Amino acid sequence: MRDERWLAGKVGLGMALTALVMTSGSAPRLAAQRPAPRPASGPVAVPAGTPSAYKGIWESVSYPDDLRLMDVFFATADEGWVSGGAGELSGGLIIHTTDGGNHWEVQYGDPQSSEGGIWELRFLDQTHGWAVQRTSSAARLFHTRDGKNWILAGTMDEHHRDYMFTSENSGVQLSGQLIKVTADGGRSWKPVFECAAKIQIDGLWQNITCSWGRVQFLTSSIGYAIAVEGSHNSLLLAKTTDGGATWKLTISELTNQPKDVFFVDENTGYVRVGYPDTGQLFKTTDGGQTWTGMAASPGDLIKFADPEVGWAVHYSKISYTTDGGSRWNSREFAFPASVWTFSLPRRDRAYVVGDHGMIYRYRVVPSETVVAKALPAPAMPGIPTTLATDVTQLDGQFSALDGFVQSAPDAGNVGARAGGAPGAGAGGGVPSPGAPGGASGAAAGDFAQSAPSAFVVGCCGKRLSALELVLKAVGGIVPDFLAKYKNMNLLAQGLRTAAALPEMSDSLRAAFKTFRTAPDRPTAATALSGLKGILASLKAAVDTALQKPK
């Protein structure tokens, strides 16, 4: 069953399956198990060069019932869902936690019921998710819009291989030879593409058909699906650039059973082919046109937390990369049951699930931390970015500016202000960028066309250069931050972050230029208020990207 269903639960997309109609109070609430140490919510920054100061651990946060837990999805480091049942076709349920698995509650289902097991969790964000309930003759699609209550949204083909949603209503389903799409949230599905091609084998042309296995969307428009041709196990890759409406098929030179595929950007992706002990990982840098074999044989199921850190799992073997997939290392762990699947919401947090209610949590902790019965594990690297620090520094500087603006003399008397340049007129009181005593042209070039007003020179002239340096630093860090640390667990959140951070950075610098030219106290105060509002939004976006607690 594991290989046949392609281990549905792909993380790069940030989708999640849903569960069944549930009204408040309709499902029993269970608080799970013994108290456990509450994990730190913020990401652990493992300093470069000091790996011995931190360690990774696996610790049990298992559910207190003999259940087959078949899927797991964590939207953040601490909030997640696990699904399964008493068996594959009975006792289906979804459980939920907001504290990293220390406590669990049943959101839907009953392990004593005859309802089918629940699989294939997919989430767009912390509130919008999907799940599939398997029965002996059908597959029911469930959906939640608030992360709590589940409704019956539609049906899926009984033997579908994979699916994902790119919005509340738009989704793609792989079913046999067909790719199907929905525009109404899963109530109806329309075939749009059939896996069929003419290929040359041993010098002869053959018409072949193939079966789809995996689908991944990098944006709401760009997605990939892989398939395998039955006779020769040739890998076929299809790409869409319009949200799944049309697809273009590429026939790969790879001829082995594909297990999983994951793209970290539109061109760079990895596919795992072959059997666990003899398989191999292949990499593409041209969107699947060509593939290069790698000296790695990670597990069947591949997921990336961000563009740099990814994991692959096969039973108790976990492989990991910290450089975007170029190099992989593997470890075996003594879990008490085989791992069915896993979730990697953040590079320093992961969860695996299996039979008998098994749920294990991975986290990075200081090396002196002692956790009873924990399994030792390698420590994933932290996020060495100064973006959060720079944003916090700006917050403090803007708060200080508030006081200077409010206590500044009227516009006509700014020359007497100690904080400014005596006798300065509009545009003439602060050295120009590059001049002695002024900010360097490289640091303040963005602001060179907006000479500060006499009022701003009088109230805050000595602080401008430092502010400009930090603002420029923020603008320079954002592209690198997105390239390395963009959330690949949740499609919607990753897209929002990728759009929001550059826009907010640009808005911040534009608003600062407006502040520089404010002619009087009321105008400066209004401009500063706008600056602080933009900064608050930027800080919230950075905290969300880093999954810092609110």
Side-chain angles (χ1 to χ4, degrees):
M1 172 63 73
R2 179 188 182 94
D3 288 340
E4 289 177 358
R5 68 184 179 90
W6 290 61
L7 294 168
K10 176 151 290 291
V11 72
L13 301 309
M15 308 284 135
L17 306 205
T18 65
L20 183 59
V21 177
M22 178 190 111
T23 58
S24 58
S26 63
R29 302 287 177 178
L30 252 67
Q33 83 259 44
R34 71 284 173 274
R38 181 177 176 85
S41 293
V44 175
V46 181
T50 58
S52 60
Y54 294 87
K55 64 183 180 181
I57 60 170
W58 285 104
E59 55 194 328
S60 176
V61 290
S62 298
Y63 190 74
D65 203 348
D66 187 8
L67 300 174
R68 169 169 285 188
L69 300 180
M70 297 176 286
D71 211 347
V72 54
F73 195 102
F74 271 72
T76 70
D78 290 331
E79 183 172 17
W81 296 259
V82 172
S83 67
E88 292 186 15
L89 298 176
S90 65
L93 84 167
I94 296 174
I95 59 176
H96 172 253
T97 182
T98 58
D99 59 10
N102 293 338
H103 303 89
W104 295 95
E105 64 172 2
V106 175
Q107 282 194 339
Y108 170 77
D110 178 359
Q112 304 304 315
S113 74
S114 59
E115 299 286 342
I118 297 174
W119 308 62
E120 299 174 273
L121 292 168
R122 308 283 189 273
F123 278 81
L124 281 174
D125 51 33
Q126 285 177 257
T127 56
H128 294 85
W130 292 262
V132 172
Q133 185 174 52
R134 304 274 183 169
T135 69
S136 59
S137 60
R140 300 195 291 176
L141 179 67
F142 300 153
H143 179 43
T144 179
R145 295 185 178 93
D146 60 6
K148 300 176 182 178
N149 300 289
W150 296 84
I151 62 171
L152 180 61
T155 60
M156 306 279 286
D157 289 355
E158 180 183 358
H159 300 295
H160 72 275
R161 290 285 193 165
D162 198 8
Y163 80 98
M164 69 174 299
F165 278 80
T166 56
S167 71
E168 176 78 15
N169 295 313
S170 300
V172 171
Q173 174 187 180
L174 305 185
S175 181
Q177 294 176 224
L178 297 176
I179 295 179
K180 298 183 176 182
V181 298
T182 181
D184 56 14
R187 290 190 295 274
S188 63
W189 297 87
K190 178 180 71 173
V192 294
F193 190 74
E194 182 176 8
C195 192
K198 181 182 290 185
I199 64 174
Q200 191 174 32
I201 300 174
D202 297 330
L204 303 176
W205 289 96
Q206 298 183 25
N207 293 317
I208 58 97
T209 59
C210 45
S211 298
W212 296 110
R214 286 304 239 169
V215 62
Q216 178 191 3
F217 274 81
L218 295 161
T219 71
S220 57
S221 299
I222 298 172
Y224 287 95
I226 60 169
V228 62
E229 184 273 325
S231 300
H232 301 86
N233 284 334
S234 297
L235 173 68
L236 289 86
L237 182 76
K239 179 180 180 180
T240 180
T241 58
D242 54 15
T246 61
W247 297 79
K248 181 180 179 181
L249 191 66
T250 298
I251 302 172
S252 167
E253 71 273 16
L254 302 182
T255 56
N256 209 337
Q257 183 78 17
K259 300 299 183 183
D260 202 6
V261 66
F262 197 98
F263 278 79
V264 295
D265 59 46
E266 185 176 352
N267 295 312
T268 306
Y270 300 88
V271 64
R272 167 70 163 76
V273 302
Y275 294 102
D277 296 330
T278 59
Q280 188 177 5
L281 189 70
F282 287 83
K283 178 179 181 178
T284 181
T285 57
D286 55 14
Q289 299 299 312
T290 59
W291 296 87
T292 302
M294 304 182 67
S297 181
D300 290 348
L301 182 60
I302 304 173
K303 301 180 181 184
F304 277 74
D306 54 58
E308 287 196 336
V309 175
W311 287 22
V313 171
H314 184 76
Y315 298 120
S316 60
K317 174 186 173 182
I318 296 180
S319 305
Y320 61 92
T321 177
T322 60
D323 61 4
S326 295
R327 292 170 295 179
W328 293 78
N329 294 299
S330 298
R331 296 265 188 105
E332 293 276 350
F333 295 97
F335 297 120
S338 292
V339 173
W340 275 99
T341 187
F342 73 106
S343 181
L344 184 63
R346 197 175 65 196
R347 58 170 55 194
D348 64 344
R349 188 68 63 84
Y351 298 82
V352 299
V353 299
D355 289 345
H356 311 298
M358 186 187 79
I359 307 171
Y360 266 67
R361 175 180 68 203
Y362 168 87
R363 58 188 176 113
V364 176
V365 298
S367 58
E368 65 271 14
T369 302
V370 177
V371 177
K373 299 182 180 179
L375 305 177
M380 295 297 104
I383 298 180
T385 177
T386 62
L387 182 58
T389 303
D390 288 342
V391 170
T392 300
Q393 181 181 345
L394 280 176
D395 190 35
Q397 293 200 25
F398 286 166
S399 296
L401 275 183
D402 241 345
F404 286 103
V405 169
Q406 296 303 324
S407 62
D410 294 335
N413 298 318
V414 293
R417 175 70 169 156
V430 170
S432 61
S440 70
D446 287 59
F447 312 98
Q449 303 302 317
S450 56
S453 68
F455 174 82
V456 171
V457 167
C459 79
C460 325
K462 292 182 178 180
R463 310 184 71 87
L464 294 183
S465 293
L467 275 167
E468 290 164 1
L469 285 170
V470 179
L471 284 166
K472 186 172 180 64
V474 167
I477 292 170
V478 165
D480 184 64
F481 179 89
L482 292 172
K484 292 182 177 180
Y485 313 121
K486 182 179 71 173
N487 188 310
M488 302 203 73
N489 181 50
L490 294 170
L491 177 64
Q493 181 175 307
L495 294 177
R496 282 197 295 265
T497 302
L501 289 184
E503 290 178 1
M504 291 176 184
S505 175
D506 291 343
S507 296
L508 197 64
R509 288 184 290 174
F512 185 67
K513 291 181 182 180
T514 301
F515 170 78
R516 284 168 54 92
T517 58
D520 50 38
R521 185 189 301 115
T523 306
T526 300
L528 185 56
S529 178
L531 267 172
K532 293 168 70 176
I534 297 169
L535 182 65
S537 297
L538 178 61
K539 186 176 187 301
V542 172
D543 287 349
T544 298
L546 295 174
Q547 293 187 28
K548 289 187 175 181
K550 294 181 174 60

